[in-house]
């Protein structure tokens, strides 16, 4: 790793605040008003000298100003930033960033998407997970394991477990200082922030370089599933290898991690997950013990998961109200269900990796029926990362028609994400999971391999219908009638009907027996089926 820190003046956030128009219609879509972009200065190299930091970096206090002097300089913060890499077939090398949160236990906070154990085909994504700390000749490489994680938040805590050669670590060998979580009260609109993340190795001539990027907080995003702030909107834009990069306030407190919509090497990272959401994971990792490792859910993460173009769309979130006066149009009162008489429905989602000229479509459905009048499409001109925020309005005092409203987001004729919200009473449709098939991996959404007792995983493929109003999916795996695995509740992105898969991976061979997989949408059982392994 070269002994180099580059400073970059970031691009301004590409965000939309789409306001409603007044033409006569039962339901009226908004009109786009894209924000302008800023300029990018030529990076200025800043050479830093090796330092001997304390075991933790404690930020100073301030008077509440966003322009106070930095309590911890960049080069000291850089000592806590780790290069995180995965290597080995089938996914090959992935490069990202993490930050040390506990020196004594060797804990590193990073992006779950970067270190996700399984790839889109349902098989092991890599062989070795490496964490590198230090710089130049002082750089030290370690093998690491995932200790705790939350895929829905895209957060993972790693534990430095072995030397680069795979040998036990000697006491005190891991010396990178840990950072301190910042005060949430310091994270307000207009506050100056800085991020330290790695550039792609190919962009630096084969060696990852650490970048310091400065910017400010633009606003916040929420979610019906998360209390408080789910995202911090900033004008910082980072390369794909900065997935998991720490973002600090001016005093040096960690305010969050810069995370992509989905990990991809050649896309921009544009949002920050608040550090407060990582606190339970960090505490759980501290309590887990030295031998604990995390087993991630095995499932089809997104519609058309076999696509490899780097395009991704986040979950669609819905809200009752919006602060139209704020930059970026922050929404509030997020919900999955709203009362009868709702006059407007706000929604938002993030997009990454959309090429200029690509066709982005919003396809609206009410109780499964396409609503042509409010569906729309546009030729994309808004950069590699953007947050789209819009609303639909009722034309009469009766409000929006009761039922399940579903929005599907398509890019170049490929479904990328879908979400729904219920207005008034629940729709009569009930999600169903039928026609189960079983395999040991996936290809183009279809099973591959015959499940046997010697296999290390089991995938269950099923057809689903009536799931347009669902918000979560989970599954329980049984062997010979006894439960052996229960998944966490995962966000549902698959829309109303199609094919999906979920699975189970054991620590070794799953063994002979009768295996059943039971699928639930929003905690309602949708279907169950099984297969015998020998």
């Amino acid at each position: 790793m070269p002994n180099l820190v580059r400073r970059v003046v970031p691009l301004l956030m590409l965000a939309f605040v789409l306001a409603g128009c007044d033409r006569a219609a039962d339901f009226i879509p908004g009109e786009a008003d894209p924000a302008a972009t800023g300029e990018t200065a030529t990076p200025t190299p800043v050479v830093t000298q090796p330092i001997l930091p304390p075991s933790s970096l404690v930020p100073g206090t301030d008077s509440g100003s966003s322009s106070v002097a930095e309590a911890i300089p960049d080069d000291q913060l850089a000592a806590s930033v780790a290069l995180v890499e995965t290597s080995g077939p089938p996914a090959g090398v992935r490069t990202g960033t993490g930050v040390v949160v506990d020196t004594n236990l060797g804990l590193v906070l990073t992006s779950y998407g970067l270190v996700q154990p399984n790839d889109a085909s349902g098989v092991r994504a890599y062989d070795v997970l490496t964490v590198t700390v230090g710089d130049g000749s002082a750089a030290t490489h370690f093998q690491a394991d995932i200790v705790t994680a939350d895929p829905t938040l895209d957060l993972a805590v790693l534990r430095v477990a072995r030397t680069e050669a795979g040998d036990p670590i000697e006491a005190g060998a891991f010396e990178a200082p840990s950072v301190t979580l910042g005060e949430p009260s310091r994270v307000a609109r207009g506050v100056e922030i800085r991020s330290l993340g790695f550039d792609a190795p190919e962009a630096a001539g084969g060696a990852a370089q650490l970048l310091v990027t400065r910017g400010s907080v633009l606003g916040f995003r929420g979610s019906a599933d998360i209390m408080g702030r789910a995202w911090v909107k900033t004008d910082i834009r980072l390369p794909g290898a900065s997935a998991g990069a720490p973002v600090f306030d001016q005093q040096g407190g960690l305010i969050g991690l810069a995370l992509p919509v989905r990990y991809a090497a050649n896309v921009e990272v544009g949002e920050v997950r608040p550090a407060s959401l990582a606190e339970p994971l960090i505490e759980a990792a501290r309590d887990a013990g030295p031998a604990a490792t995390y087993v991630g859910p095995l499932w089809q993460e997104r519609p058309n998961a076999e696509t490899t173009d780097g395009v991704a769309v986040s979950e669609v979130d819905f809200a009752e109200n919006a602060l139209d006066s704020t930059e970026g149009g922050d929404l509030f009162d997020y919900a999955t269900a709203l009362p009868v008489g709702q006059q407007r429905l706000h929604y938002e989602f993030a997009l990454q990796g959309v090429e200029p000229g690509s066709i982005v479509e919003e396809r609206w459905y009410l109780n499964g029926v396409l609503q042509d009048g409010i569906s729309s499409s546009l030729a994309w001109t808004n950069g590699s990362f953007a947050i789209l925020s819009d609303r639909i309005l009722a034309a009469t005092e009766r409000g929006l028609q009761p039922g399940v409203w579903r929005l599907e987001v398509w890019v170049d004729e490929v479904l990328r994400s879908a979400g729904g919200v219920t207005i008034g009473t629940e729709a009569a449709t009930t999600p169903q999971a039928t026609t189960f098939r079983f395999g040991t991996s996936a290809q183009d959404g279809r099973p591959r391999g015959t499940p046997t007792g010697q296999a290390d995983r089991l995938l269950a493929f099923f057809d689903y219908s009536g799931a347009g109003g669902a918000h979560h999916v989970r599954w329980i795996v049984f062997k010979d009638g006894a439960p052996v695995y229960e998944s966490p509740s995962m966000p549902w992105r698959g829309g109303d009907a199609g094919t999906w898969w979920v699975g189970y991976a054991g620590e070794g061979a799953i063994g002979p027996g009768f295996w059943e997989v039971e699928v639930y949408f929003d905690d309602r059982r949708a279907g169950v089926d099984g297969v015998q392994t020998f």
Side-chain angles (χ1 to χ4, degrees):
M1 188 189 312
N3 190 22
L4 177 66
V5 177
R6 290 194 299 177
R7 301 176 188 268
V8 180
V9 177
L11 295 175
L12 291 176
M13 168 175 275
L14 279 169
F16 294 83
V17 180
L18 305 181
C21 61
D22 296 326
R23 63 181 176 85
D26 290 336
F27 308 102
I28 305 174
E31 296 178 343
D33 183 21
T37 61
E39 298 180 351
T40 302
T42 302
T44 302
V46 179
V47 178
T48 64
Q49 299 300 318
I51 59 175
L52 296 175
S55 61
S56 64
L57 301 178
V58 181
T61 59
D62 68 73
S63 60
S65 169
S66 63
S67 58
V68 297
E70 299 169 359
I72 302 178
D74 294 339
D75 57 354
Q76 288 192 25
L77 289 175
S80 301
V81 180
L83 177 67
V84 180
E85 296 176 294
T86 66
S87 59
V93 176
R94 286 185 171 189
T95 301
T97 306
V99 62
V100 179
V101 291
D102 192 310
T103 299
N104 293 332
L105 297 178
L107 301 182
V108 176
L109 180 66
T110 189
S111 163
Y112 179 78
L114 168 66
V115 298
Q116 183 173 345
N118 307 299
D119 72 359
S121 66
V123 302
R124 180 75 184 176
Y126 54 85
D127 295 326
V128 179
L129 174 58
T130 303
V131 167
T132 301
V133 292
D135 198 9
S137 60
T140 309
H141 310 277
F142 299 93
Q143 292 185 17
D145 298 322
I146 306 174
V147 186
T148 58
D150 188 336
T152 64
L153 296 176
D154 191 15
L155 294 173
V157 179
L158 315 181
R159 180 181 56 243
V160 171
R162 294 167 297 280
T163 67
E164 183 179 14
D167 300 321
I169 297 176
E170 296 181 1
F174 186 77
E175 298 179 333
S178 60
V179 296
T180 300
L181 271 60
E183 292 293 334
S185 60
R186 288 178 176 167
V187 186
R189 293 180 185 86
V191 165
E192 297 174 4
I193 57 177
R194 47 189 165 141
S195 177
L196 280 72
F198 286 94
D199 199 356
E202 57 271 20
Q209 292 183 338
L210 188 61
L211 311 178
V212 176
T213 309
R214 304 188 184 279
S216 60
V217 174
L218 297 182
F220 308 95
R221 293 211 297 135
S223 169
D225 296 329
I226 297 174
M227 292 292 293
R229 298 167 176 174
W231 294 100
V232 179
K233 296 189 291 189
T234 79
D235 53 12
I236 284 178
R237 293 294 175 269
L238 303 171
S242 285
V247 179
F248 300 96
D249 59 26
Q250 287 297 89
Q251 291 69 46
L254 179 69
I255 69 168
L257 294 193
L259 300 176
V261 176
R262 183 177 63 191
Y263 177 85
N266 299 314
V267 301
E268 286 186 323
V269 180
E271 285 190 288
V272 175
R273 184 69 83 185
S276 57
L277 296 176
E279 287 187 74
L281 289 175
I282 297 171
E283 290 305 312
R286 287 177 174 145
D287 296 338
T293 57
Y294 173 80
V295 178
L298 184 58
W299 75 311
Q300 179 175 316
E301 185 182 359
R302 295 179 180 272
N304 305 291
E306 66 275 5
T307 58
T308 58
D309 55 9
V311 176
V313 177
S314 72
E315 295 85 33
V316 181
D317 290 301
F318 299 90
E320 190 172 0
N321 295 295
L323 298 173
D324 293 333
S325 61
T326 64
E327 186 175 3
D330 288 358
L331 308 188
F332 63 99
D333 293 336
Y334 288 83
T336 58
L338 295 170
V340 173
Q342 189 71 26
Q343 290 293 318
R344 62 184 64 195
L345 176 61
H346 296 269
Y347 63 95
E348 65 187 0
F349 52 88
L351 307 92
Q352 76 172 33
V354 181
E355 294 290 337
S358 296
I359 302 301
V360 178
E361 298 178 78
E362 293 183 358
R363 299 183 187 179
W364 280 95
Y365 296 82
L366 174 58
N367 294 330
V369 178
L370 179 66
Q371 305 295 299
D372 286 321
I374 57 173
S375 296
S376 63
S377 63
L378 60 88
W380 192 251
T381 60
N382 299 292
S384 177
F385 176 84
I387 299 171
L388 191 146
S389 180
D390 200 352
R391 64 187 179 185
I392 56 175
L393 305 177
T396 72
E397 295 182 355
R398 297 192 304 272
L400 295 166
Q401 185 174 333
V404 174
W405 289 85
R406 185 175 87 253
L407 174 60
E408 294 182 351
V409 183
W410 295 66
V411 179
D412 289 338
E413 295 294 327
V414 176
L415 176 63
R416 307 291 179 159
S417 187
V421 61
T422 300
I423 295 181
T425 59
E426 291 279 353
T429 58
T430 300
Q432 299 289 328
T434 60
T435 319
F436 281 72
R437 292 87 69 196
F438 294 88
T440 56
S441 65
Q443 183 176 30
D444 298 330
R446 297 187 299 271
R448 292 189 62 191
T450 301
T452 67
Q454 289 73 45
D456 66 350
R457 61 197 58 217
L458 175 70
L459 274 56
F461 298 73
F462 56 89
D463 298 334
Y464 63 92
S465 60
H471 301 284
H472 301 93
V473 63
R474 65 181 180 91
W475 58 102
I476 303 175
V477 180
F478 300 84
K479 181 181 181 182
D480 296 329
V484 296
Y485 175 76
E486 183 170 355
S487 80
S489 184
M490 307 300 291
W492 178 243
R493 305 183 179 101
D496 188 63
T499 300
W500 209 261
W501 62 262
V502 298
Y504 164 74
E507 295 182 0
I510 61 174
F514 184 69
W515 293 84
E516 293 177 286
V517 178
E518 195 170 52
V519 177
Y520 290 78
F521 286 98
D522 292 343
D523 293 326
R524 293 179 294 182
R525 193 175 83 160
V528 60
D529 206 345
V531 64
Q532 179 73 47
T533 61
F534 298 95

